Amino acid sequence: MALQCGIVGLPNVGKSTLFNCLSSAKAESANYPFCTIEPNVGTITVPDERLMRISDLVNPQKIMPTTIEIVDIAGLVKGASKGEGLGNQFLGNIRTTNAILHVVRCFEDDNITHVDGSINPVRDKEIIDTELQLKDLEAIDARMHKVRKQADTGDKEGKQMFDTCAKVKAHLEQGKSVRSCDLDDIQWATIRELNLLTAKPVMYICNVDEASVISGNAHTKEFMDSIADENAEVLLVSAQIESELIDMEEEDKMMFLEEMGLHESGVNRIIKAAYHLLNYITYFTAGVKEVRAWTITRGMKAPQAAAVIHTDFEKGFIRAEVIAYEDFIALGSEAKCRDAGKLRVEGKEYVVNDGDMMHFRFNV
């Protein structure tokens, strides 16, 4: 299951620096707008200590973590929805992602210019929001125009689409993003194909100076107050610290983080938070050839989870043999779990839990 998150923000807020820290793909980072034009894409592993603990017990030939793709999208500016600053191209790149990582600048540095001349993360966020909302309004208007005749003639699907779009349009015209619109499951399903920009889940990353990475500063406080009603996750990350960590050995990295009062790097926190932003969980398969992490959406049943490995597994699904991660670690092997009655046989209605170790039986 491919997970792709797009990093967005105004120019010179630290997006590309964070991308470079997240990914082995190196984005050009420079002190001027539109340094990034084509989106840089990096595939990175999701840090999961459980995978390594399982591998220590199984000693497999290969270890396969789950991954996400991070897309560094060029800095947006006011007027992007109308094509300013190559805006249409950049907004198109956002449309293909599953979630948005919105970086706001919350540090002072006279050596790094700000496209609007001053540091104001609340204003910066509103500029991005407005441009994305305007682009969504264009998409909504176009779809309403397309289905209006169907709706007028009483076509059920056409009327459903038109009415839902009308509700979303009214919400957008209030300066609100689609993700906060009060839609039922049918209405969400109706507009899903439009792939609206502001319907995507969002996480805010406040790029701060080293001294503010734990407790924040006046900029982060103002920003958090401004999004209090969004129920969105906010991370405080110092791109400067993260760039210093890139070339360090693991032992030196841990010592450096400890000295800074941090338990783990901002990069790890971003990756984990991005993974959970879309309500994803992990299950594991383990054998001497390979221990592997698999990504599924929370709430998936066993046959759907099996299909992530291969569609034939779902078609011919018979049963799933399941061991809870905690039981496997406590007892040390599948054989011991089986002997202790900790290996369960589950059917088609079983809802997979995060951390389940699974073996699927199926007909070819």
Side-chain angles (χ1 to χ4, degrees), residues 104-106 119-127 129 219 221-227:
V104 290
R105 178 173 169 177
C106 296
I119 309 304
N120 186 331
V122 175
R123 175 203 61 206
D124 294 353
K125 171 193 174 294
E126 289 173 352
I127 289 173
D129 283 350
H219 292 307
K221 183 182 184 306
E222 182 183 11
F223 181 78
M224 288 182 182
D225 288 345
S226 73
I227 63 163

Side-chain angles (χ1 to χ4, degrees), residues 142-205:
R143 183 52 60 97
M144 290 178 72
H145 178 75
K146 184 176 181 180
V147 301
R148 183 181 296 274
K149 287 184 179 179
Q150 292 174 261
D152 289 344
T153 58
D155 179 82
K156 185 177 180 181
E157 290 186 6
K159 190 174 190 315
Q160 175 68 40
M161 175 62 79
F162 187 88
D163 291 347
T164 303
C165 284
K167 183 174 182 178
V168 171
K169 180 177 180 178
H171 189 76
L172 285 165
E173 287 176 338
Q174 295 176 46
K176 298 177 181 178
S177 294
V178 178
R179 71 180 70 88
S180 65
C181 191
D182 182 21
L183 302 177
D184 59 32
D185 291 344
I186 294 175
Q187 291 170 322
W188 279 118
T190 299
I191 63 166
R192 186 172 295 122
E193 66 182 80
L194 300 182
N195 210 11
L196 297 172
L197 302 174
T198 66
K200 299 178 186 297
V202 64
M203 176 174 68
Y204 297 108
I205 301 172

